[in-house]
Amino acid sequence: MDQPQEPQQAHELTSQVTYNPDNLLDSLIERLNLKNDAALSRALEVAPPVISKIRHRRLPVGASMLIRMHEVSNMDIRELRELMGDRRTKYRLSDAQGKPKPAKT
């Protein structure tokens, strides 16, 4: 018997009004001269349900997927993010990251 599923929390990216993974996926299909999502999944070396989940907004486009898309298409990460409508300016970095550690005295 199926158990009721808990509602999933909206991912920061998927909750953006401008987020549209269809534009990104369609642009990649066109750029790579592919026929459909199945061909795109083969080009990206991911299972077809991954592309389907991204297209139906059940899975956000993560960093590893963006990197793979970049490697396959030679498109800039920034361009890929713009195609999907990602307008975030910061990426989950804490205030402590990137700062030098205090010198020990």
Side-chain angles (χ1 to χ4, degrees), residues 55-75:
R55 192 171 288 278
H56 293 97
R57 294 164 177 78
R58 291 192 301 263
L59 180 69
V61 178
S64 60
M65 179 62 72
L66 271 177
I67 291 169
R68 187 70 189 129
M69 290 173 172
H70 160 71
E71 290 172 344
V72 169
S73 69
N74 287 325
M75 296 171 74

Side-chain angles (χ1 to χ4, degrees), residues 32-105:
L32 299 172
N33 296 318
L34 303 172
K35 291 187 177 193
N36 53 32
D37 286 353
L40 180 61
S41 72
R42 288 189 295 275
L44 296 174
E45 299 178 358
V46 297
V50 172
I51 301 299
S52 177
K53 287 178 183 179
I54 290 172
R55 192 171 288 278
H56 293 97
R57 294 164 177 78
R58 291 192 301 263
L59 180 69
V61 178
S64 60
M65 179 62 72
L66 271 177
I67 291 169
R68 187 70 189 129
M69 290 173 172
H70 160 71
E71 290 172 344
V72 169
S73 69
N74 287 325
M75 296 171 74
D76 290 337
I77 298 286
R78 178 169 294 183
E79 184 180 357
L80 293 168
R81 288 181 58 240
E82 286 174 1
L83 282 170
M84 73 175 158
D86 185 358
R87 305 291 186 252
R88 296 176 296 172
T89 56
K90 288 195 172 194
Y91 314 97
R92 297 186 193 202
L93 295 176
S94 73
D95 290 338
Q97 287 178 312
K99 291 184 180 177
K101 294 182 181 181
K104 293 182 181 179
T105 55

